[in-house]
Amino acid sequence: MQAASLGIPFQPIRGLHGTDVATAGGFAIVRDPYSGEEVYAIPRIRPDWAVLHVHEADDQGNARIYGSPGYDLVMAEAAARVILTAERIIPGEECAAHPELTKVPGLFVTAVVRLPGGASPCACMPDYDVDPAGIASYLDSAASEAGLRAYLERVNP
C-alpha cells in the first residue's frame, strides 16, 4: 500500500532474501540503479475502499487521529475511496481553526459516519483501550461464516 499511496507501481524491498516469501509471492528482482544491489519489487496494492476509524471528523471528512495513526494515512492515500467512522463529528470551523490537527484531509474521503465505539474491540486511545475478551470472542466466532454472522448480530443488535 505504501507504493499505491506514493502513486508508484511497486515498492523496492530488500529484506526478503533468504526467505520463501518472495518466491511464494512471485515478486520480481530488480537492480538498484544507484548501488547495484538486487532488491525485490513488490507490486502496489490499491484497494477500492478503506474504512478508517478516527477520533474526530467534520462533515467534509477532515479527520483527526490522536496518537499514532499507524497505517491509516497510507491506507487513506492508497485506496480509491475512503469511509470514515468517527467517535465524534465536530464543526468544520473547529477543523479550520487548527488545520495542523487534521491527519486525513477531506479530499480523500467519500463518506463520514458517527460511530462511537467503532474501533471496539480494538483500541481508540485515549477514548478506550483494547478489549481482550472482545477480541477473543471475535476470534472464536470468525472461524466460520455463520459464527461471524452471529458475532456481528450480537455486537451490533
Side-chain angles (χ1 to χ4, degrees):
M1 278 199 236
Q2 182 74 45
S5 76
L6 295 171
I8 56 178
F10 66 90
Q11 180 77 35
I13 302 290
R14 60 190 302 214
L16 298 177
H17 294 286
T19 73
D20 292 333
V21 173
T23 303
F27 302 142
I29 295 176
V30 297
R31 187 167 303 282
D32 176 345
Y34 301 103
S35 71
E37 178 184 9
E38 287 187 341
V39 295
Y40 287 98
I42 311 301
R44 72 178 175 189
I45 298 171
R46 180 146 170 85
D48 290 333
W49 291 94
V51 179
L52 309 175
H53 188 73
V54 300
H55 292 90
E56 298 172 336
D58 67 13
D59 62 356
Q60 298 300 305
N62 297 297
R64 296 176 175 177
I65 300 170
Y66 298 114
S68 172
Y71 281 98
D72 287 357
L73 306 183
V74 171
M75 289 189 291
E77 292 173 352
R81 291 172 296 282
V82 175
I83 295 173
L84 295 179
T85 59
E87 290 293 320
R88 295 170 293 282
I89 303 296
I90 59 174
E93 299 79 28
E94 194 171 325
C95 284
H98 299 283
E100 71 280 5
L101 297 177
T102 297
K103 299 294 186 195
V104 179
L107 65 98
F108 292 121
V109 177
T110 301
V112 180
V113 178
R114 181 180 171 273
L115 187 61
S120 182
C122 295
C124 187
M125 298 298 287
D127 293 344
Y128 47 90
D129 204 347
V130 173
D131 174 11
I135 290 177
S137 175
Y138 166 78
L139 292 173
D140 290 342
S141 302
S144 70
E145 185 176 336
L148 181 57
R149 196 174 309 277
Y151 169 83
L152 292 172
E153 289 172 2
R154 188 170 61 253
V155 297
N156 296 310

